Amino acid sequence: MVYIKTLTLICILIQIFTTTVHADTQDDTQMLHLIKACADIGDYDVENSDIDELMRRFLYTYRNFEIVSDIEPHAVKSGKLIMCNEDFVQDAFYKTFRLNAPKPAPDRLTEIGYCVNNGFYCFSGGYTEYFATDVKEITRVIPLNDNSLYVIFSDYYRSGTNEPVFEYSSMIIGKDSEGYFVKRINMNDDFKDLHSLLNTEDVSQSVPDKNPYIPIAVIAVTLLSSIAVFYIYFIRK
């Protein structure tokens, strides 16, 4: 009987351990993919950014967004125009910003720089290098409220043939039932507005380290507590 109870407890502890680690890793991976995808977009704020400007920057860096979508872009070039699969653009744009991508008619191509025609987004221009911003790691995650996180990350930005420049940047990332999405981007951030976002003058006291050992410590405490309970209720009896 004791052996059955022991085996049951071990199975429960393994499930707790693997579920906790998997959830934390999955969240971090999704957030990091989101940051890497739109770091080349440059500064953006859902409250006051122009949707057409955002779309142009998105299209110019469409290859970056393959890491947030399961749909292939199937991009082709025809003369000066690049054509990208409409389903991919709609999917990746919504997953990244929780906005529906505009679908302007072909006669607006000259006016705003892009349009939709026969199942493809058509645009001219773009960048010669994708993932020009090399995101290194997330260094701080600061909760703003139940649905928003202020995320600080380090990156190297390369412009043309110049040497990469190290910088700290930030994004405000929202979270809903579908996962993470971007609300604001500040590349090479000076963090001047951080105290107003946190409603405190002492920013240093409100910026926790994103410490990889915290989840491990929580798991260790859970395991030790469970073992103690098992010993008291099963072994000593």
Side-chain angles (χ1 to χ4, degrees):
M1 188 66 178
V2 173
Y3 292 113
I4 294 175
K5 292 179 178 178
T6 303
L7 182 60
T8 302
L9 180 63
I10 290 172
C11 291
I12 292 172
L13 294 178
I14 290 173
Q15 185 176 10
I16 291 172
F17 178 82
T18 53
T19 301
T20 305
V21 171
H22 176 70
D24 185 69
T25 303
Q26 191 176 49
D27 281 356
D28 283 357
T29 300
Q30 186 189 5
M31 191 184 297
L32 195 58
H33 280 179
L34 195 62
I35 292 170
K36 287 183 175 182
C38 54
D40 287 346
I41 289 284
D43 291 350
Y44 158 75
D45 190 337
V46 68
E47 298 294 333
N48 54 35
S49 290
D50 179 74
I51 188 69
D52 289 323
E53 177 64 23
L54 178 62
M55 273 301 301
R56 284 191 293 271
R57 293 184 184 185
F58 174 91
L59 291 170
Y60 292 166
T61 59
Y62 73 90
R63 288 184 183 173
N64 291 10
F65 292 88
E66 291 183 51
I67 62 176
V68 301
S69 177
D70 297 324
I71 302 173
E72 292 292 328
H74 297 301
V76 294
K77 191 169 185 179
S78 176
K80 294 183 179 180
L81 283 181
I82 298 174
M83 297 184 292
C84 192
N85 179 12
E86 179 183 347
D87 290 339
F88 164 78
V89 172
Q90 291 283 336
D91 181 65
F93 195 80
Y94 178 79
K95 284 180 177 176
T96 302
F97 302 107
R98 289 300 186 275
L99 299 172
N100 293 318
K103 300 173 65 174
D107 60 359
R108 299 199 64 199
L109 175 61
T110 304
E111 177 189 352
I112 62 175
Y114 72 99
C115 70
V116 177
N117 187 31
N118 293 328
F120 284 88
Y121 274 83
C122 305
F123 62 98
S124 58
Y127 304 134
T128 57
E129 183 176 354
Y130 294 93
F131 291 109
T133 306
D134 181 15
V135 177
K136 304 308 293 183
E137 65 176 353
I138 297 172
T139 58
R140 300 287 190 276
V141 176
I142 307 166
L144 297 178
N145 52 51
D146 291 341
N147 302 310
S148 297
L149 301 170
Y150 189 99
V151 181
I152 302 172
F153 57 95
S154 60
D155 66 83
Y156 283 91
Y157 175 69
R158 179 189 296 277
S159 177
T161 58
N162 297 329
E163 287 296 313
V165 177
F166 180 80
E167 61 186 18
Y168 283 102
S169 305
S170 73
M171 293 188 190
I172 293 181
I173 293 181
K175 188 172 184 180
D176 58 17
S177 60
E178 298 178 70
Y180 293 115
F181 62 98
V182 173
K183 292 182 173 181
R184 198 181 79 177
I185 306 172
N186 285 105
M187 301 306 296
N188 195 20
D189 199 350
D190 56 15
F191 307 109
K192 287 182 179 179
D193 61 345
L194 184 53
H195 72 276
S196 61
L197 286 169
L198 299 176
N199 195 27
T200 177
E201 294 298 326
D202 190 359
V203 173
S204 62
Q205 297 300 316
S206 305
V207 182
D209 287 331
K210 182 175 174 59
N211 192 333
Y213 296 105
I214 291 176
I216 296 175
V218 172
I219 292 168
V221 170
T222 302
L223 288 172
L224 290 174
S225 300
S226 301
I227 291 171
V229 171
F230 174 78
Y231 175 77
I232 292 171
Y233 286 97
F234 295 102
I235 303 299
R236 290 185 63 181
K237 288 184 177 181

